[in-house]
Amino acid sequence: MRSTRVLAAAAAGLATATATATATATVVLISPALTSPGLAQPAASVLGRQSFVAAAIRRAGPAVVTIDTERTVQSAAGGGLPRGLLNDPLFRQFFGIPQQGAPSRRTERGQGSGVILQSDGLVLTNAHVVDRIDRVTVGLENGRRYEGRVVGLDKLTDLAVVRLVGAGPWPVAPLGNSDALQVGDWAIAVGNPFGLDNTVTLGIISSLNRNASKLGITDKRLDLIQTDAAINPGNSGGPLLNSDGEVVGINTLVRSGPGAGLGFAIPINRARSIVKELVATGRATHPMIGVGLDEVRGGSGAGPAKGAVVVSVQPNGPADRGGLRAGDVIVAAQGAEVRDPSQVINAVERAGVGGTLNLTVNRRGALVNLQLVPGDMAVLRQG
């Protein structure tokens, strides 16, 4: 009975100096957080029932959409067998091949995510989500579905713009500033992985300016945001949000196999400029000077310790016409020090097609200043 009284006193927050050893041992098991008069309320009331994530999703979530695609794939008759064999009646009879092998058609379906950027129904997604498709259907958070029309896509940055067919107005997600991101900031990924609509995952910004080439992606020109917020198939094209519910990136891929769990997004500031071009002309231009670059490798110390080594120069390209040579080491671009090839690429992007690119190169120990005029990648590659 005495132990019961001591327990009651302890639960009420009253100290007692006459508690028995047994009673004292029992009191130690009671959490102070539950016995303190100031924290008598439920934990959810004290800490808040909703996190900043819920507030962020309320702000941007209605503008996150599902993108369903269809395309017709036509396969040749005979499964790729030589036409001579298909024309042989004995061969067809032996293998049971119909005499008239008309090409077969099938419909391939895919799914991705997107986010509405403008109230007139402009949707941003990944290029690989809507590339070579025949039909786009866009599903909103409220369950309604609308036809979509591809305005333009850019494979090099994996970005595409789709316009909703309908009267609107449409919910719009606020855009943030990806240049203001810092490693360790909260990151919220929203999308439709594996067809599971409106899935939200939370993580942090793990790194910034991850060059796509270092991930083994050689056909893209991207510096990516790395995050540990879960990104899975179907998340492609959905937004990466900051803690305020602003779009700071467009989810594009996840690393599978060794190193799985690493997600990547295209910075929204890069996406803004691409969107303007796609809406205006249906395509995006990419400046290029026509060189192959590599990192400076540690050596004898006779040459520069950092920069970008020119390993090849396209004949009659902007670099060739500007006097750049194989073996040159680019040590500065637009007056800023160059530490690796990605900084040269960024300088070319900022200069733009037809702009002026000032380079300083180390040529066998001598510094040489050059002025180049970047050209359009599509035109240069055709040439």
Side-chain angles (χ1 to χ4, degrees), residues 88-340:
D88 187 334
L90 295 177
F91 181 86
R92 291 200 311 270
Q93 181 180 4
F94 183 81
F95 288 100
I97 299 175
Q99 185 168 358
Q100 291 185 347
S104 61
R105 293 186 177 184
R106 57 187 171 87
T107 299
E108 285 188 352
R109 292 179 173 83
Q111 189 175 72
S113 305
V115 59
I116 304 176
L117 300 181
Q118 296 180 183
S119 58
D120 60 353
L122 209 62
V123 178
L124 179 60
T125 186
N126 284 152
H128 73 260
V129 172
V130 296
D131 185 25
R132 294 179 298 173
I133 53 90
D134 302 317
R135 184 181 180 188
V136 180
T137 304
V138 181
L140 271 63
E141 185 187 48
N142 59 15
R144 294 185 177 181
R145 297 171 64 80
Y146 300 88
E147 182 183 351
R149 178 175 58 85
V150 178
V151 176
L153 60 84
D154 180 45
K155 293 183 180 181
L156 200 66
T157 57
D158 197 25
L159 292 169
V161 174
V162 174
R163 189 177 294 280
L164 292 168
V165 178
W170 313 98
V172 177
L175 303 186
N177 179 10
S178 54
D179 290 339
L181 290 175
Q182 298 183 44
V183 174
D185 285 350
W186 290 112
I188 307 167
V190 191
N192 311 289
F194 303 108
L196 302 174
D197 296 352
N198 305 312
T199 296
V200 179
T201 56
L202 176 66
I204 63 169
I205 301 296
S206 304
S207 185
L208 298 168
N209 302 317
R210 288 293 193 202
N211 192 276
S213 62
K214 293 184 177 180
L215 301 172
I217 305 170
T218 57
D219 61 338
K220 308 293 181 190
R221 185 184 283 189
L222 291 170
D223 284 329
L224 300 167
I225 300 168
Q226 181 182 328
T227 179
D228 64 350
I231 297 175
N232 291 292
N235 269 121
S236 293
L240 187 71
L241 308 177
N242 61 16
S243 57
D244 294 324
E246 298 170 331
V247 180
V248 293
I250 300 298
N251 302 323
T252 186
L253 60 92
V254 62
R255 177 74 176 266
S256 59
L262 304 180
F264 299 90
I266 304 163
I268 194 63
N269 287 8
R270 179 69 188 281
R272 288 176 194 258
S273 60
I274 299 298
V275 167
K276 289 180 181 178
E277 290 191 78
L278 292 178
V279 172
T281 65
R283 61 181 293 268
T285 59
H286 294 283
M288 178 181 178
I289 59 174
V291 294
L293 301 175
D294 196 3
E295 297 179 355
V296 172
R297 308 295 179 184
S300 62
K306 51 191 172 183
V309 181
V310 178
V311 295
S312 63
V313 178
Q314 180 181 345
N316 202 35
D320 188 21
R321 293 193 297 268
L324 202 60
R325 302 175 185 173
D328 287 347
V329 179
I330 302 173
V331 295
Q334 306 293 54
E337 182 185 32
V338 168
R339 295 185 298 274
D340 55 56

Side-chain angles (χ1 to χ4, degrees), residues 68-85:
D68 293 304
T69 62
E70 294 181 9
R71 68 169 177 169
T72 301
V73 179
Q74 183 170 304
S75 57
L81 292 172
R83 184 175 297 274
L85 289 177

Side-chain angles (χ1 to χ4, degrees), residues 14 19 58 211 283-284 307 345:
L14 302 176
R58 282 198 303 272
N211 192 276
R283 61 181 293 268
I345 295 173

